Amino acid sequence: GCRNVLWLAAVVMLSCIMLYAENREAVRHEQLMLKDFRGDVADLARISEVIIGGRLQEYDKILLVLRDSFVAEPERFAETVRLLRSGPLADREILVVRNDRDGYLAFTDSPNAKPGLYLGKSEYFRHFADGAGDGLYISTPLFGRVTQRYSIPVVRPVYDKGGNFNGVVALSVRQDALVNFGSSLKLSGDTIVT
């Protein structure tokens, strides 16, 4: 009797201790996995920031070339775009748009373009037309009336030789073009980003 009860109590107690230890190990393992996941997310955020920042710098350089070309020889703007298409602007999904000083579409290499389309109410155009200066403007994603797709306008103002506002030049960039890593990235653990 009493021995069996003691024996049964010892077995129950040992089972409880083993279950508690297994549960603690499962919780510890889950915490380690969560820590790895958080590290992966932080790594991915840093990698994305570097990649996106680098791409935006490339786009800004292209915009400066386009703007300088237009100011120097406006009649050769389309030729400059064609030349850039064989090099730094090879991605045909990134479209070039130029609005004149009144906000009308003056140039694009988009096949969906409607000549003379009024774009003067767009946030990026208003930004510069209202005197914001000479910085790079990166719009929130929007559905482009010229491109007929969602994209991120990356924009620079154009000033004539006298320093007067003369419209904008923009690249219409697909959102996925900014975050496309080009190949898979292996992070810690089993995480692979493509």
Side-chain angles (χ1 to χ4, degrees), residues 124-143:
Y124 63 84
F125 184 85
R126 294 286 7 127
H127 178 76
F128 292 115
D130 293 342
D134 186 30
L136 178 68
Y137 184 89
I138 302 165
S139 176
T140 56
L142 55 86
F143 188 79

Side-chain angles (χ1 to χ4, degrees), residues 39-106:
D40 287 347
V41 169
D43 289 347
L44 184 57
R46 283 189 291 277
I47 290 167
S48 295
E49 183 178 3
V50 168
I51 290 172
I52 291 170
R55 292 219 170 108
L56 290 172
Q57 286 177 349
E58 289 172 27
Y59 299 153
D60 192 28
K61 288 176 187 175
I62 292 168
L63 286 170
L64 290 171
V65 167
L66 288 167
R67 178 175 74 178
D68 291 348
S69 167
F70 179 76
V71 171
E73 299 181 84
E75 67 281 354
R76 295 190 59 175
F77 185 75
E79 183 180 337
T80 301
V81 172
R82 280 192 300 277
L83 289 172
L84 289 171
R85 286 287 182 204
S86 63
L89 198 51
D91 185 348
R92 291 280 179 187
E93 292 293 313
I94 297 172
L95 301 173
V96 177
V97 176
R98 195 183 78 71
N99 297 354
D100 67 18
R101 72 175 49 108
D102 298 318
Y104 289 95
L105 178 64

Side-chain angles (χ1 to χ4, degrees), residues 63 66 77 81 85 89 94-100 103-110 113 117 119 122 124 144-147 149 151 153-156 158 167-173:
L63 286 170
L66 288 167
F77 185 75
V81 172
R85 286 287 182 204
L89 198 51
I94 297 172
L95 301 173
V96 177
V97 176
R98 195 183 78 71
N99 297 354
D100 67 18
Y104 289 95
L105 178 64
F107 174 89
T108 185
D109 55 355
S110 170
L117 183 64
L119 302 169
S122 67
Y124 63 84
R145 291 174 49 209
V146 172
T147 60
R149 63 175 190 194
S151 62
V154 181
V155 188
R156 276 277 184 177
V158 176
V168 297
V169 63
L171 297 178
S172 171
V173 180

